[in-house]
């Protein structure tokens, strides 16, 4: 028996058949139950664990349909429209579901109907029942008011006026029912009878493309899974070609015999539909997750889904039948590294519209960074050679994440470069210097109260040993009472 706290009292939340045989009921106080049967076993409810279990069962039910929704705390909705023929019909599918749950150790109730409301009532009040289309009213008529999924307060009010079954409510005039008990009663009734549509919202987005393979003999080895991935990817390729698309994100679902489901996802930086390349990506991902994937008694269903796709640009082959794509090998290499080590394993610098050096570049995941595409040259266009080339300021090879303070004992002139400086406890003598390059603060991006940040004057410095540095003076001499400060921001070599 399972208990939970309700209205400052411990009450029975759920009980098994043996407890029901002892005339115990849900909602009864634990003190009363112990007074009747002192030896009963009571376990405190764990709603979070129950939720995780229900979500794992919903994952497993994806083998029947991708449209699976969670109903409250103890039920699942499966929209099997168009899926029953894959399992030999409605009765065969329902028997297969009940049989598999039984062998996993679950005692479940199931019902199948044309409307979610009728299926809900059939599962809870007429288990293992298939309701033919148009016979929802005959199913609901003898059932109690709870079969209509109405609020307990409305149910109690209906019972107080002698309406104790769904059939009695259906036979009563609608207008007085709506005035006295609200429109929600008629809404639930019309949904159960199919007069109003009721959508089942799946807990996970439905993949636009999926292929799967039911296995007569469960598989356990990683090599077997990879071979199946290539076979499924070959089937997906034809569908992607027909749609003119390539996969950007794929998911591999491994359904274990005992009900556990493993979801493995990979992303691509470019649209992809070549089976061999898809197999390589999942090879890296499976190698990274080898210790986390428990095959148990084996997987009897494998599904490969395209979670997101993009337009696939076809490339013209040369006379030898080969296509030239300079970035394809780099993209594949980055995708394989990301599949094994994670999305943040490969980053790409992207220019940002900012004057400050530390803000001018952002490191983005390789797949999210924009790809550089060279526009094709228009034939016959005359190149303008009269314009002068624009030389961008030289930047160091290594830019520090945060500028490091340095000590500058003296300068040739107040606004000039230093003669020597001390950095990381070492003294460096300046042999040559270039600058300054003045960079004003970005007052529109600064935090409140810091809009008047000091100006920076950058210098390219070469010491007596030939090493080159990039340092700057923050602030101007005489501009404020505080003396300017010097910082090291990067090194050239």
């Amino acid at each position: 028996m399972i208990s939970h706290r309700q209205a400052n009292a411990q009450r029975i939340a759920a009980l098994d058949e043996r407890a029901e045989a002892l005339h115990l009921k849900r909602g009864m106080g634990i003190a009363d139950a112990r007074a009747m049967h002192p030896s009963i076993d009571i376990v405190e409810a764990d709603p979070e664990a129950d939720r995780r279990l229900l979500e794992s069962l919903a994952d497993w039910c994806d083998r029947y349909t991708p449209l699976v929704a969670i109903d409250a705390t103890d039920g699942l909705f499966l929209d099997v429209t168009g899926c029953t023929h894959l399992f030999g019909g409605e009765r065969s599918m329902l028997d297969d579901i009940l049989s598999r749950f039984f062998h996993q150790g679950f005692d479940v109730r199931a019902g199948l109907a044309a409307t979610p409301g009728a299926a809900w009532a059939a599962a809870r009040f007429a288990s293992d029942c298939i309701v033919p289309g148009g016979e929802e009213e005959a199913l609901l008529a003898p059932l109690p008011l709870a079969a209509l999924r109405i609020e307990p307060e409305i149910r109690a009010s209906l019972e107080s006026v002698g309406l104790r079954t769904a059939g009695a409510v259906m036979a009563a005039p609608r207008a007085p029912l709506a005035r006295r008990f609200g429109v929600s009663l008629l809404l639930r009734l019309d949904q159960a009878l199919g007069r109003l549509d009721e959508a089942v919202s799946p807990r996970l987005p439905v993949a636009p493309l999926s292929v799967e393979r039911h296995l007569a003999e469960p598989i356990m080895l990683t090599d077997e899974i990879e071979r199946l991935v290539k076979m499924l990817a070959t089937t997906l390729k034809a569908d992607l070609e027909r749609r003119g698309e390539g996969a950007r994100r794929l998911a591999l679902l491994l359904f274990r015999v005992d009900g556990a489901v493993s979801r493995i996802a990979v992303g691509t930086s470019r649209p992809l539909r070549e089976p061999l390349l898809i197999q390589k990506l999942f090879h890296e991902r499976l190698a990274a997750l080898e210790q986390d994937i428990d095959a148990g008694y084996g997987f009897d269903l494998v599904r490969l889904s395209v979670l997101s796709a993009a337009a696939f640009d076809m490339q013209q082959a040369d006379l030898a039948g080969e296509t030239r794509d300079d970035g394809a090998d780099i993209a594949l290499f980055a995708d394989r590294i990301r599949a094994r080590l994670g999305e943040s394993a490969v980053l790409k610098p992207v220019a940002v519209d900012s004057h400050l050096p530390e803000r001018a570049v952002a490191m983005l995941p390789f797949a999210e960074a924009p790809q550089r595409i060279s526009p094709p040259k228009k034939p016959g266009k005359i190149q303008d050679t009269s314009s002068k080339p624009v030389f961008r300021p030289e930047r160091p090879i290594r830019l520090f994440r945060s500028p490091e303070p340095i000590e500058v004992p003296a300068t040739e002139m107040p606004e000039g470069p230093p003669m020597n400086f001390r950095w990381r406890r070492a003294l460096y003598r300046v042999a040559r210097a270039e600058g300054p390059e003045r960079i004003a603060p970005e007052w529109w991006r600064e935090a409140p109260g810091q809009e008047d940040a000091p100006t920076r004057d950058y210098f390219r410095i070469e010491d007596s040993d030939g090493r080159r540095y990039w340092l700057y003076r923050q602030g101007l001499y005489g501009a404020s009472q505080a003396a300017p400060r010097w910082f090291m921001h990067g090194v050239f070599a």
Side-chain angles (χ1 to χ4, degrees):
M1 215 167 46
I2 299 177
S3 68
H4 70 137
R5 179 166 292 277
Q6 180 181 357
N8 295 326
Q10 286 292 119
R11 299 187 178 276
I12 299 176
L15 63 167
D16 58 12
E17 295 178 352
R18 295 180 60 186
E20 290 179 346
L22 298 175
H23 304 288
L24 300 177
K25 297 181 180 180
R26 182 179 299 184
M28 179 184 292
I30 295 298
D32 296 336
R34 286 194 180 278
M36 296 171 58
H37 305 282
S39 62
I40 58 175
D41 293 331
I42 301 176
V43 179
E44 182 69 21
D46 187 350
E48 185 61 29
D50 294 340
R51 183 73 177 182
R52 291 195 300 268
L53 174 61
L54 194 61
E55 290 178 349
S56 66
L57 295 179
D59 286 339
W60 179 81
C61 287
D62 279 351
R63 67 188 300 127
Y64 297 103
T65 173
L67 300 174
V68 180
I70 293 179
D71 175 43
T73 60
D74 61 350
L76 296 174
F77 273 123
L78 277 68
D79 188 350
V80 296
T81 304
C83 301
T84 55
H85 69 281
L86 300 174
F87 300 88
E90 295 178 349
R91 171 51 60 184
S92 298
M93 171 184 273
L94 193 61
D95 291 342
D96 185 70
I97 293 174
L98 294 174
S99 174
R100 288 179 180 271
F101 270 119
F102 174 78
H103 286 96
Q104 293 177 30
F106 295 100
D107 184 12
V108 300
R109 306 289 186 268
L112 198 152
T115 65
W120 190 93
R124 285 164 171 77
F125 299 94
S127 181
D128 195 15
C129 174
I130 298 179
V131 183
E135 297 187 11
E136 292 83 8
E137 186 172 352
L139 166 74
L140 294 171
L143 299 182
L145 297 177
L148 296 178
R149 298 181 295 167
I150 56 179
E151 299 295 332
E153 296 80 7
I154 300 177
R155 188 165 67 242
S157 300
L158 289 169
E159 292 175 348
S160 66
V161 297
L163 301 176
R164 300 183 179 278
T165 63
V169 174
M170 289 186 287
R174 293 175 62 89
L177 287 176
R179 286 196 302 268
R180 183 167 182 178
F181 304 104
V183 296
S184 61
L185 171 62
L186 300 182
L187 175 64
R188 284 302 193 186
L189 185 60
D190 291 340
Q191 287 177 341
L193 297 177
R195 298 169 185 167
L196 291 177
D197 292 334
E198 181 182 1
V200 175
S201 300
R203 54 186 293 268
L204 297 176
V206 180
L209 287 176
S210 293
V211 290
E212 62 184 34
R213 178 66 61 88
H214 290 263
L215 305 173
E217 293 292 336
I219 61 175
M220 302 175 61
L221 301 179
T222 303
D223 293 342
E224 296 175 333
I225 297 175
E226 292 180 14
R227 283 196 294 269
L228 270 178
V229 168
K230 186 177 181 180
M231 295 172 58
L232 296 175
T234 303
T235 306
L236 270 182
K237 181 180 180 181
D239 296 330
L240 291 170
E241 287 178 345
R242 186 172 60 254
R243 296 162 61 111
E245 295 178 339
R248 286 299 307 272
R249 188 163 182 82
L250 299 110
L252 178 66
L253 277 71
L254 305 174
F255 294 84
R256 216 165 65 183
V257 174
D258 59 356
V261 181
S262 298
R263 294 177 180 270
I264 306 170
V266 297
T268 65
S269 54
R270 293 185 174 190
L272 190 66
R273 62 190 184 195
E274 184 61 35
L276 181 59
L277 301 182
I278 294 176
Q279 182 191 24
K280 289 182 178 180
L281 292 183
F282 278 105
H283 168 78
E284 302 294 345
R285 193 63 184 150
L286 289 169
L289 300 175
E290 186 175 2
Q291 303 298 329
D292 299 329
I293 299 178
D294 183 9
Y297 293 102
F299 304 105
D300 63 342
L301 174 62
V302 179
R303 178 183 299 161
L304 183 61
S305 302
V306 177
L307 301 182
S308 63
F312 190 89
D313 296 331
M314 300 296 296
Q315 296 181 349
Q316 180 66 40
D318 56 17
L319 296 178
E322 298 179 356
T323 57
R324 179 179 178 83
D325 189 354
D326 297 334
D329 293 339
I330 297 178
L332 177 60
F333 171 77
D335 291 342
R336 295 183 67 177
I337 294 297
R338 290 166 47 235
R340 181 179 285 265
L341 302 179
E343 292 294 327
S344 60
V346 182
L347 302 178
K348 185 176 181 180
V350 177
V352 178
D353 189 10
S354 177
H355 300 294
L356 297 182
E358 62 267 25
R359 295 179 181 173
V361 176
M363 302 301 292
L364 298 180
F366 189 86
E368 299 178 8
Q371 302 294 328
R372 180 181 297 178
I373 301 177
S374 301
K377 296 181 180 180
K378 296 182 180 180
K381 184 177 179 180
I382 301 176
Q383 300 293 330
D384 185 9
T385 58
S386 61
S387 59
K388 296 181 180 180
V390 178
F391 296 97
R392 295 183 178 180
E394 186 178 1
R395 291 293 180 259
I397 297 176
R398 180 187 176 191
L399 188 70
F400 297 154
R401 185 181 301 272
S402 298
E404 300 182 7
I406 60 176
E407 298 178 10
V408 177
T411 59
E412 295 181 356
M413 59 185 67
E415 305 298 334
M419 300 176 61
N420 52 68
F421 61 91
R422 187 178 298 275
W423 175 48
R424 296 179 180 178
R425 300 183 180 181
L427 182 64
Y428 299 86
R429 299 192 179 278
V430 176
R432 298 176 181 83
E434 294 179 347
E437 175 190 346
R438 179 159 294 181
I439 298 179
E442 298 176 341
W443 53 266
W444 59 92
R445 292 184 178 178
E446 299 297 340
Q450 300 181 359
E451 295 87 350
D452 299 331
T455 300
R456 298 181 183 181
D457 281 349
Y458 279 85
F459 296 90
R460 291 185 293 274
I461 300 296
E462 181 178 332
D463 65 5
S464 55
D465 295 330
R467 293 184 290 262
R468 301 181 66 204
Y469 309 92
W470 202 45
L471 49 85
Y472 70 89
R473 183 188 65 249
Q474 181 174 282
L476 302 174
Y477 288 99
S480 62
Q481 295 182 356
R485 302 175 60 192
W486 288 83
F487 294 89
M488 177 73 66
H489 207 161
V491 294
F492 287 91

